[in-house]
Amino acid sequence: MANVQQRYGITEPISLGGPTELDVVKTRELEKYLQDVGLYEGKEEAVRREEVLGRLDQIVKIWIKTISRAKGLNDQLLHEANAEIFTFGSYRLGVHGPGADIDTLCVGPRHATREGDFFGELQRMLSEMPEVTELHPVPDAHVPLMGFKLNGISIDLLYAQLPLWVIPKDLDISQDSILQNADEQTVRSLNGCRVTDQILRLVPNIENFRTTLRCMRFWAKRRGVYSNVSGFLGGINWALLVARICQLYPNALPNMLASRFFRVYTQWRWPNPVLLCSIDGGSFGLQVWDPRRNPKDRLHMMPIITPAYPCMNSSYNVSASTLRIMTGEFQRGKYICEAMEANKADWDTLFEPFAFFEAYKNYLQIDISAANVDDLRKWKGWVESRLRQLTLKIERHTYDMLQCHPHTHDYQDASRPLHCSYFMGLQRKHGVPAAEGEQFDIRRTVEEFKHTVNGYMLWIPGMEIGVSHIKRRSIPSFVFPGGVRPSHASKGTWDSKRRSENRIASTASAATTNTNEASSESKGGSSSLGDGKKRKRGDDETLTDQLRNSKRVGVAVPVENGEGGSPDPSVGSVCSSPLKDCLTDAKSDPISKDPPENVVLFSKDTPESHPLEKIATLQAQSQETEELEDSFDFGNQVIEQISNKDTIVAASATTPPFEATTSNGSPFSNGAVEELEVLPMGHPEVTHRALVQQRKPIIKLNFTSLGKTNGK
């Protein structure tokens, strides 16, 4: 009898096909590429990490003996007193690179408390050791930890206090019984190690998983979508997504896995969850992700569920804007992988950095400063954890009409060492017609955000924050490499080529539309062919004269695409999970090939000096015509039909049905959910009127400046 291959995951795989000769060659190229860009650490550093972990293990064992003696434990318990160190995260998964930190967990007995002993005696011991530097305890975090460097290696140390008098040396934390009678912070601290180990158990080939994960982590960082705190995805999220692809293609090599990653998640209809295994309800009463019972779980935009009990959504930070950006990046990756198969692109193309400061015309700049280096580090950590709230507030207060793209990194001006800046791209939601003179006044939103940030419990004088609205041409030079602003936009990249192609296509489409409309009008209003031709010729001449003499510039804006270079995910995604019956009402429609277009007019004679109260977010001075075109066409990509229909059919069975209902017994839908929190929100009334033939007014999309608020 033939051996039956083990099934990984909750469904049958999409394909059991093995690699082709081309896959083998491409995988070797990928591995060499990842090595050449420096993603693998050297042997010396690997040995040093092991030595550091050994030293940390000695330190916590000395610590536990010290506090056991101080608390008067008997000789037997004092002799058996023990604490164990476990690793998790990228180091445990085997995908860490040079200089990466090591996520570690210290497991201690019941008499070693978190507040008094871990953040007390152990912190004091570490502070007195010369080999320990940059010690930074964070006791009030969602998962309390201590960050520090031990012999130059960055360590993030968590603590789990188990209800045991003695911690055995062969402790197995993968068993659910370890969670019995554990406090909430201990459960969260243990979760990292338990999830990491479970991922490695649930993938068919660990080496292929690791190479593919290295690839996707590098890609996500280059494209600016690697940051959990900013509302994108962090390390564990990308690991779970890659692991699911490995389950669906168990015999594929990293080259094919990377390609299928983009194909599957381009078609995935969020908020259907990504699951590596069935959700275990457990027997200890811990809350697990379950939208049937937990209303807040229904609000999650992009659920990626951890495989260890208690199963939780690891991507609750994702917002509507960041989901849109990531889905667009998945589409871009899919197109490039298809081009690579046709030898029209290479790995350099896939890993092109995202030109964030070319992608938008309007940005928010968040500046923070402090009195000294230590205060700035604390202040930065707090502000970074709150920036996601600014994105959510703007989306909520503008009813999702103003979309935000947070940059995942901060920038520092060399001339101001105790200062750093964060940036956020802004754009109007596409596909929504703009009313004349419509404004986005977010001054109050920003003031609420600043008030929240200034409520930091450890705030001291000198910790300052300011938020301002800036144009692309006013972006400070210190954000650019070498502190030099580029003289022109990026050229020769995949994004710029697609931008040019789509600009040409958009112009041709607009011209065709105008011609058809003119032809239709001439035919309907004339009783003879000759009259029709004359009227058509006259209309064309009139249109030409208007375009030549008008003070307005017409720019074709494909509504499926943002200035950020990522197609709108709302256009025809294909569901990769049958959960659509309970989590969304949408159907598995094929991807639209011809997105609609929308022409927006901008005044050319807008004054250069704008009142502080009304700064237009989309304005085109005569000298900025080229900038306008680059801005609105940035990264446009034509949505193509999925060629492999078998893959679509198979992928749409990747998750079993999840019978979820609302309180009234009907299947609930997440289609209208825009935020991560349950907040009452009254939408403005919209009156739909029949279209009337009239001269279109100049449309100005206005933005209220923050300059006055900040005292500028």
Side-chain angles (χ1 to χ4, degrees):
M1 180 182 293
N3 291 331
V4 179
Q5 183 170 355
Q6 178 183 354
R7 191 185 84 176
Y8 292 87
I10 57 177
T11 63
E12 295 292 338
I14 292 177
S15 172
L16 292 174
T20 63
E21 292 184 4
L22 180 61
D23 286 328
V24 174
V25 173
K26 289 289 187 180
T27 295
R28 289 174 181 169
E29 292 178 359
L30 174 60
E31 291 172 344
K32 184 178 184 303
Y33 187 97
L34 299 179
Q35 289 176 348
D36 291 343
V37 296
L39 296 188
Y40 293 85
E41 68 176 357
K43 292 183 178 180
E44 292 183 1
E45 185 174 356
V47 171
R48 193 152 63 94
R49 286 180 184 274
E50 293 180 1
E51 293 175 348
V52 164
L53 288 174
R55 175 58 178 150
L56 181 60
D57 185 64
Q58 292 176 356
I59 292 173
V60 298
K61 283 177 167 52
I62 295 173
W63 163 69
I64 205 67
K65 295 282 187 182
T66 302
I67 63 171
S68 297
R69 186 179 299 108
K71 294 188 177 185
L73 270 63
N74 60 46
D75 293 342
Q76 181 180 353
L77 289 178
L78 183 60
H79 176 73
E80 296 176 349
N82 184 42
E84 290 293 324
I85 290 291
F86 297 87
T87 61
F88 63 100
S90 63
Y91 183 80
R92 176 70 181 93
L93 290 173
V95 296
H96 62 287
D101 59 2
I102 305 178
D103 295 314
T104 56
L105 170 69
C106 174
V107 179
R110 62 188 304 168
H111 58 274
T113 64
R114 178 178 292 101
E115 294 77 12
D117 297 322
F118 182 77
F119 287 107
E121 179 62 20
L122 181 58
Q123 179 181 335
R124 184 194 62 78
M125 289 174 57
L126 292 172
S127 65
E128 295 175 353
M129 294 180 178
E131 65 266 41
V132 174
T133 58
E134 300 181 21
L135 178 62
H136 179 50
V138 191
D140 54 348
H142 185 66
V143 182
L145 60 86
M146 276 196 291
F148 55 92
K149 284 188 175 181
L150 181 57
N151 290 328
I153 301 294
S154 295
I155 301 288
D156 283 339
L157 182 61
L158 282 59
Y159 182 65
Q161 180 186 1
L162 298 185
L164 302 173
W165 285 107
V166 177
I167 302 298
K169 294 182 179 180
D170 57 350
L171 179 68
D172 183 5
I173 60 175
S174 65
Q175 298 297 320
D176 290 351
S177 58
I178 202 78
L179 304 175
Q180 189 171 8
N181 298 324
D183 62 76
E184 188 174 347
Q185 291 176 319
T186 290
V187 171
R188 288 198 290 262
S189 298
L190 287 167
N191 194 52
C193 291
R194 288 166 51 80
V195 168
T196 303
D197 290 345
Q198 189 72 346
I199 290 174
L200 294 176
R201 294 189 189 99
L202 292 173
V203 294
N205 186 303
I206 292 179
E207 288 306 315
N208 288 341
F209 164 74
R210 284 173 172 165
T211 301
T212 308
L213 181 54
R214 283 185 187 274
C215 169
M216 299 317 304
R217 283 163 56 96
F218 180 61
W219 170 84
K221 291 175 182 179
R222 298 281 281 185
R223 299 302 299 174
V225 290
Y226 189 100
S227 174
N228 184 279
V229 72
S230 298
F232 294 105
L233 301 181
I236 191 63
N237 310 126
W238 293 109
L240 292 169
L241 291 182
V242 171
R244 184 63 184 132
I245 300 303
C246 291
Q247 291 180 339
L248 296 175
Y249 300 90
N251 299 322
L253 291 181
N255 167 66
M256 181 179 178
L257 291 171
S259 173
R260 296 305 181 265
F261 178 95
F262 294 117
R263 177 179 297 183
V264 169
Y265 292 121
T266 293
Q267 302 172 64
W268 201 277
R269 191 177 294 279
W270 307 102
N272 295 320
V274 173
L275 301 166
L276 298 187
C277 59
S278 58
I279 296 179
D280 181 9
S283 57
F284 300 112
L286 299 176
Q287 181 173 305
V288 299
W289 187 84
D290 187 350
R292 299 169 301 182
R293 297 181 175 86
N294 308 322
K296 285 188 177 181
D297 291 345
R298 304 175 195 174
L299 305 180
H300 293 165
M301 309 294 295
M302 191 181 187
I304 304 173
I305 310 304
T306 56
Y309 175 75
C311 299
M312 295 181 282
N313 176 25
S314 63
S315 53
Y316 58 86
N317 277 351
V318 174
S319 68
S321 288
T322 53
L323 175 59
R324 170 185 56 83
I325 294 163
M326 286 187 286
T327 306
E329 288 297 333
F330 293 156
Q331 291 177 336
R332 174 188 178 274
K334 171 182 170 291
Y335 301 147
I336 293 177
C337 286
E338 291 173 352
M340 290 172 65
E341 294 174 2
N343 292 322
K344 296 181 180 179
D346 54 19
W347 293 111
D348 278 326
T349 307
L350 181 66
F351 297 125
E352 281 176 2
F354 176 67
F356 180 82
F357 293 108
E358 296 177 15
Y360 301 96
K361 285 181 65 65
N362 296 275
Y363 297 84
L364 283 185
Q365 179 175 340
I366 300 96
D367 298 295
I368 67 171
S369 59
N372 55 61
V373 175
D374 187 57
D375 288 349
L376 181 62
R377 186 181 71 249
K378 296 176 181 177
W379 189 227
K380 278 181 61 177
W382 169 250
V383 173
E384 286 177 359
S385 70
R386 300 291 95 190
L387 283 177
R388 185 178 69 92
Q389 296 300 322
L390 178 58
T391 300
L392 295 176
K393 286 177 182 292
I394 291 175
E395 290 177 352
R396 179 169 63 246
H397 293 173
T398 62
Y399 307 103
D400 289 315
M401 293 298 103
L402 186 61
Q403 296 177 333
C404 306
H405 184 168
H407 198 288
T408 56
H409 301 292
D410 65 278
Y411 289 88
Q412 287 190 293
D413 187 351
S415 63
R416 304 173 66 185
L418 299 178
H419 167 275
C420 72
S421 301
Y422 300 88
F423 294 87
M424 187 179 295
L426 300 173
Q427 71 176 10
R428 169 185 290 280
K429 181 179 181 180
H430 289 279
V432 178
E436 182 178 7
E438 182 178 359
Q439 301 176 6
F440 288 123
D441 186 346
I442 62 171
R443 289 177 296 181
R444 185 172 181 179
T445 304
V446 169
E447 286 303 310
E448 287 181 10
F449 166 73
K450 291 168 61 178
H451 179 75
T452 300
V453 170
N454 286 324
Y456 181 39
M457 292 182 62
L458 301 180
W459 185 90
I460 59 175
M463 293 181 175
E464 302 293 341
I465 181 172
V467 184
S468 56
H469 163 238
I470 60 172
K471 290 285 193 178
R472 181 167 60 198
R473 60 179 177 270
S474 303
I475 292 172
S477 59
F478 63 78
V479 307
F480 300 105
V484 179
R485 180 188 299 274
S487 57
H488 53 75
S490 302
K491 298 184 182 298
T493 64
W494 171 275
D495 291 332
S496 64
K497 291 177 182 177
R498 300 287 291 199
R499 180 169 70 242
S500 299
E501 292 173 1
N502 284 280
R503 184 159 56 237
I504 295 172
S506 298
T507 304
S509 177
T512 303
T513 301
N514 291 335
T515 302
N516 292 339
E517 289 178 354
S519 176
S520 177
E521 292 174 1
S522 64
K523 290 181 181 179
S526 175
S527 60
S528 67
L529 183 61
D531 292 341
K533 290 183 178 179
K534 291 179 181 179
R535 180 173 284 105
K536 180 177 185 300
R537 184 166 56 251
D539 291 342
D540 289 343
E541 291 173 356
T542 303
L543 176 62
T544 302
D545 293 338
Q546 287 177 348
L547 291 176
R548 182 183 299 114
N549 300 323
S550 175
K551 294 182 179 181
R552 288 179 268 173
V553 179
V555 183
V557 186
V559 299
E560 92 287 353
N561 186 30
E563 290 184 53
S566 299
D568 189 349
S570 63
V571 181
S573 62
V574 178
C575 182
S576 298
S577 166
L579 263 171
K580 59 178 176 288
D581 293 334
C582 64
L583 291 179
T584 178
D585 295 332
K587 298 180 180 179
S588 298
D589 297 325
I591 294 180
S592 172
K593 191 172 184 178
D594 299 312
E597 292 189 349
N598 156 21
V599 176
V600 184
L601 299 178
F602 302 95
S603 173
K604 288 184 74 174
D605 54 358
T606 302
E608 181 67 27
S609 177
H610 311 291
L612 289 177
E613 292 78 9
K614 299 178 181 179
I615 295 185
T617 55
L618 298 176
Q619 295 174 342
Q621 286 81 6
S622 58
Q623 66 268 27
E624 292 184 306
T625 303
E626 182 178 357
E627 181 182 13
L628 248 179
E629 294 177 349
D630 289 342
S631 172
F632 280 99
D633 293 325
F634 189 87
N636 287 350
Q637 300 171 1
V638 178
I639 307 297
E640 301 173 353
Q641 291 284 359
I642 303 296
S643 59
N644 191 340
K645 295 183 179 179
D646 294 337
T647 301
I648 296 177
V649 174
S652 56
T654 57
T655 307
F658 200 116
E659 299 298 334
T661 58
T662 56
S663 57
N664 60 10
S666 61
F668 60 81
S669 170
N670 200 29
V673 174
E674 301 296 346
E675 304 300 337
L676 301 182
E677 301 159 271
V678 183
L679 292 170
M681 180 172 67
H683 289 274
E685 295 183 0
V686 179
T687 304
H688 298 281
R689 300 179 180 177
L691 295 176
V692 180
Q693 291 288 346
Q694 59 181 357
R695 184 176 180 180
K696 296 181 179 179
I698 297 176
I699 299 176
K700 294 182 180 180
L701 174 59
N702 290 332
F703 187 124
T704 301
S705 171
L706 304 174
K708 178 177 287 188
T709 303
N710 292 318
K712 293 185 178 182

